[in-house]
Amino acid sequence: MALDFSLTDEQRQIQEMAHRFALEVIRPEAAYYDEHEETPWPIIQKAAEVGLYGWELLASGQSDPTGLTLMLVNEELFWGDAGIALAIMGSGLAATAVFAQGTPEQIREWIPRIYGTPSEPKLGAFCVTEPDAGSDVSSLRTRARRDGDDWVISGTKQFITNGGIADVHVVVATVDPSLGVRGQASFLVDRNETQGRLRMGRKLRKLGIRASHTAEVVFDEVRVPQDRVLGGLERLEARLARAREGRSTGRSAVALQTFERTRPVVGIQAVGIARAAYEAALEYAKTRRQFGVPLLQHEAIAFKLADMRTAIDAARLLCWRAAWMAAQGQPFLHGEGSMAKLKAGETAVWVCEQAIQIHGGYGYIRDYPVERYWRDAKVWTIFEGTSEIQRRIIAQALATADD
Ligand SMILES: Cc1cc2nc3c(=O)[nH]c(=O)nc-3n(C[C@H](O)[C@H](O)[C@H](O)COP(=O)(O)OP(=O)(O)OC[C@H]3O[C@@H](n4cnc5c(N)ncnc54)[C@H](O)[C@@H]3O)c2cc1C
């Protein structure tokens, strides 16, 4: 299929629907949830009722040959408010892990378990990061050991979105420490079945995206049956055997497989924040007058807005290209997913800072949303692989790709 970014009628409809939801439901509540740092359950429920939260949306996104449907929805929701949008979209990370690595039976059972129902929505969490293992996912200390027919998981996870409040936690643990990343596996854990042995540690207070819950998660000898190995026990044993013989396991580390798929989506979320900041700055520049004319008539401000708009379009195009490639099953041989996430995250921070500058003193106070946009945007250069790690991936691709 040739690269083509013209949207179908269906895609335009879902884009419009997500935009309306962001404008009418999310935006009016953004300041409240930023201030109170609460999970916006009523908004998650409304999103589920209109089809913006749930496995059906993710499934339709996964089967979209252009890869753009989920991109459109994410850009609009994050344009509304990043914290609330992440509370809505954060479960997608766990669900994507199940889609990427699960057996057909696991996909059928666990994706609906992650999301619950519109009348009783539930959350998912994807637990990789640990206090001493962030960028370096090869050094995970959380262990899963066999005990008869069960697995027993112990360890502490750090910075987990929806951690401890999600029903389903997909946890990455080391099963054979001698094999490094190749000795890791993911496990499906339903918090309600752990007799309290999966518990939330400290809830983390953040600079931005405060409506999104982030916490430590403690796994204290959490016992799960065999069928909770994501991808199945047989596949894991075959992979471990290949690794022990020094043969290629055929795929990258289990955590990295999920991140490869989610990078274009994570990038477009940052584009949504950047667009919100740009639009706010443009509007302000049209109405605020200094030296007898609107700010927009000062070339320094107009050029700033021109650069902001250009950077946003460039970032969006990189994200769309990566999403399209992923949907077409094309590998990211040149680090295209990382390029998208890197450019979009850094663009969002830069655009938000310019938006504050254009607002002058008013940009620095909470009466205007641009200070919140900047606080929210910053984490897009940190989570799901920091900017430095994205550059490392792109640089490695430069060294290994044929052209
Ligand atoms: C709000 C929030 C939500 C999150 N949600 C989740 C989640 O749901 N699940 C999950 O598993 N994790 C989550 N994370 C964790 C996130 O992915 C990590 O914070 C991130 O991967 C960085 O790890 P670290 O914080 O330990 O930083 P470190 O890895 O300690 O890095 C510190 C600094 O050193 C740099 N650095 C590290 N190694 C290198 C290198 N080799 N070369 C150059 N520079 C390097 C980094 O780029 C960074 O600037 C979340 C984090 C935040 C803040």
Side-chain angles (χ1 to χ4, degrees):
M1 186 173 164
L3 185 69
D4 179 2
F5 289 152
S6 42
L7 302 183
T8 62
D9 287 346
E10 211 178 310
Q11 284 171 335
R12 284 195 190 288
Q13 275 166 17
I14 192 160
Q15 182 184 36
E16 256 175 55
M17 197 257 271
H19 183 75
R20 234 186 5 263
F21 189 83
L23 184 68
E24 294 170 5
V25 182
I26 294 180
R27 279 213 167 171
E29 302 294 337
Y32 172 89
Y33 283 103
D34 176 53
E35 204 72 41
H36 291 83
E37 308 195 27
E38 290 167 14
T39 301
W41 283 107
I43 303 184
I44 296 172
Q45 184 151 7
K46 278 186 195 152
E49 281 160 10
V50 299
L52 288 172
Y53 182 80
W55 65 269
E56 294 91 342
L57 177 70
L58 194 75
S60 76
Q62 299 276 341
S63 60
D64 166 16
T66 70
L68 295 184
T69 304
L70 279 182
M71 305 295 278
L72 299 169
V73 171
N74 272 274
E75 181 174 336
E76 295 313 315
L77 297 186
F78 283 77
W79 170 88
D81 176 68
I84 295 176
L86 195 62
I88 296 170
M89 288 296 174
S91 298
L93 206 52
T96 304
V98 177
F99 264 122
Q101 304 163 38
T103 63
E105 298 75 39
Q106 286 173 332
I107 292 172
R108 265 197 304 278
E109 181 185 346
W110 287 86
I111 301 276
R113 261 170 98 159
I114 287 174
Y115 286 102
T117 60
S119 57
E120 203 184 334
K122 297 185 187 309
L123 301 173
F126 185 53
C127 314
V128 183
T129 308
E130 298 179 357
D132 294 321
S135 301
D136 179 10
V137 293
S138 66
S139 56
L140 297 185
R141 288 199 185 153
T142 299
R143 293 277 181 272
R145 62 176 165 81
R146 288 291 286 276
D147 183 25
D149 282 345
D150 293 339
W151 288 89
V152 179
I153 306 166
S154 286
T156 299
K157 295 291 181 179
Q158 174 71 313
F159 295 131
I160 304 304
T161 302
N162 298 336
I165 61 168
D167 282 74
V168 176
H169 289 65
V170 177
V171 54
V172 181
T174 297
V175 295
D176 184 339
S178 68
L179 299 175
V181 278
R182 303 198 308 169
Q184 294 172 354
S186 302
F187 295 86
L188 294 153
V189 182
D190 186 325
R191 179 171 54 96
N192 307 304
E193 296 174 355
T194 65
Q195 282 103 35
R197 290 189 166 274
L198 184 169
R199 62 176 173 79
M200 185 169 91
R202 200 160 56 97
K203 178 182 171 179
L204 304 169
R205 304 193 65 205
K206 305 194 294 296
L207 176 71
I209 56 161
R210 294 176 176 172
S212 167
H213 171 97
T214 316
E216 294 170 352
V217 182
V218 179
F219 294 81
D220 173 18
E221 301 270 296
V222 171
R223 184 172 285 273
V224 294
Q226 263 184 32
D227 64 359
R228 302 297 167 83
V229 178
L230 194 55
L233 186 60
E234 250 176 56
R235 209 157 84 193
L236 171 65
E237 283 177 339
R239 188 160 55 80
L240 294 174
R242 278 199 305 278
R244 282 180 196 123
E245 289 164 14
R247 286 190 287 146
S248 162
T249 53
R251 302 182 76 177
S252 53
V254 286
L256 301 183
Q257 288 167 32
T258 300
F259 291 137
E260 276 170 20
R261 286 219 183 186
T262 52
R263 264 177 209 135
V265 178
V266 174
I268 206 73
Q269 296 170 348
V271 170
I273 307 172
R275 199 182 102 215
Y278 159 77
E279 288 176 10
L282 178 62
E283 192 52 37
Y284 191 80
K286 284 180 181 168
T287 50
R288 171 79 170 169
R289 296 174 74 87
Q290 288 294 284
F291 298 94
V293 293
L295 293 178
L296 194 56
Q297 287 186 26
H298 297 295
E299 197 175 70
I301 300 295
F303 276 19
K304 229 189 254 300
L305 284 157
D307 285 343
M308 290 157 76
R309 176 65 200 255
T310 306
I312 292 168
D313 276 15
R316 181 185 296 108
L317 283 169
L318 280 179
C319 292
W320 281 21
R321 178 182 71 167
W324 184 87
M325 289 176 73
Q328 296 290 309
Q330 292 187 15
F332 293 148
L333 294 178
H334 300 91
E336 288 87 346
S338 292
M339 286 184 201
K341 199 266 176 184
L342 169 65
K343 181 73 184 168
E346 303 227 322
T347 294
V349 176
W350 180 78
V351 166
C352 292
E353 196 191 322
Q354 301 309 304
I356 293 175
Q357 191 68 20
I358 290 172
H359 280 71
Y362 294 99
Y364 202 68
I365 62 173
R366 294 188 188 189
D367 297 12
Y368 288 82
V370 286
E371 60 84 29
R372 187 176 74 241
Y373 294 152
W374 183 85
R375 287 190 284 109
D376 290 345
K378 185 55 199 155
V379 79
W380 266 263
T381 67
I382 297 172
F383 64 9
E384 298 242 359
T386 63
S387 287
E388 290 77 13
I389 294 302
Q390 305 305 338
R391 287 194 176 91
R392 215 168 101 113
I393 295 168
I394 299 163
Q396 277 164 355
L398 296 179
T400 52
D402 290 338
D403 51 43

